[in-house]
Amino acid sequence: EYGCNIDSASTIIHEFGHSVEMDAYYKVGKTNFFDIIRGSPYYEISSRFLEYSFLNYLKENNILVDEVLNVIQMKNSVKVAGKHT
């Protein structure tokens, strides 16, 4: 389904986290994307933090709680190559 929903919004926020991290790397002179992701075992942490903070904010403020809980459950159950994503 296309359109704006909680899953789409949380994905946009997740990707924004990557842009924030990339900006920090650029500021210290690292500009090669592959060096950045290979050089940081924590590359997903800031993005995940922002994504789950957004979902938690919605849940705590009773905003579309059922959809938020479904998205959290879906994200926690998705696996790629045996790893949680």
Side-chain angles (χ1 to χ4, degrees), residues 10-78:
S10 69
T11 299
I12 290 168
I13 290 170
H14 176 96
E15 296 307 322
F16 175 73
H18 288 307
S19 69
V20 169
E21 187 162 0
M22 291 290 287
D23 184 59
Y25 278 106
Y26 284 133
K27 286 180 180 175
V28 296
K30 294 188 179 199
T31 58
N32 184 315
F33 177 74
F34 294 105
D35 287 344
I36 292 169
I37 59 174
R38 278 188 303 215
S40 174
Y42 310 107
Y43 188 65
E44 287 293 323
I45 291 176
S46 61
S47 293
R48 293 287 175 166
F49 176 77
L50 290 174
E51 180 179 11
Y52 280 94
S53 294
F54 167 69
L55 293 169
N56 191 52
Y57 171 83
L58 294 177
K59 187 174 92 174
E60 287 183 354
N61 288 282
N62 295 316
I63 301 169
L64 301 169
V65 175
D66 290 337
E67 186 177 352
V68 168
L69 294 175
N70 286 335
V71 169
I72 290 171
Q73 182 178 15
M74 178 190 66
K75 288 182 181 292
N76 287 339
S77 66
V78 173

